Each structure stands twice: as structure tokens, then as C-alpha cells.
Amino acid sequence: MRALWLLLPTCPTYRATWNEADSPRGRIYLVKALLTGRLQPTETLLKHLDACVICRRCETACIGCSI
């Protein structure tokens, strides 16, 4: 996952909250932690994941990234 910092300006939820957990990179790390058992699905964690508006701007901004 290279150049994930490029996604920050494109993400509307990150721009609204300025919280890393509400950014594409933050959500990727949260999902990985859930899948590997390092985190449990708490209400706070799920709020960060549910905040994604599925606009897919991160996909067009992430040229060459494999998310």
C-alpha cells in the first residue's frame, strides 16, 4: 500500500472529521486489524467503517495502489 496519503484530500469523511480512522488508509488498517483478530468490532470502530459514503473517490485517486 504505497502513497495512501494521496487519498486523504479526496475522502469526504476525512475532510469533515480530520480523523485518520475516517480516512481510506485508516479504514484499511481497521479492517485488517479486525480480520486478524487484533481488534474487536466495537461501536466506535464500526462507526468509523460505517462513515464511509462509498463515493469511491479513493479508487480513482489511488493510481497503481492495490487496496
Side-chain angles (χ1 to χ4, degrees):
M1 283 187 277
R2 62 182 191 263
L4 287 176
W5 62 270
L6 293 171
L7 304 179
L8 295 179
T10 66
C11 181
T13 54
Y14 175 78
R15 286 191 323 221
T17 66
W18 299 104
N19 185 332
E20 177 70 18
D22 291 325
S23 72
R25 174 176 56 195
R27 290 189 187 101
I28 290 168
Y29 288 126
L30 290 175
V31 169
K32 280 187 172 184
L34 280 171
L35 292 175
T36 59
R38 291 187 326 226
L39 288 177
Q40 296 300 311
T42 65
E43 185 175 332
T44 302
L45 185 144
L46 295 175
K47 282 183 182 180
H48 291 299
L49 297 180
D50 288 341
C52 177
V53 295
I54 312 172
C55 66
R56 301 180 78 169
R57 290 183 189 153
C58 56
E59 290 179 15
T60 57
C62 193
I63 299 168
C65 293
S66 61
I67 301 178

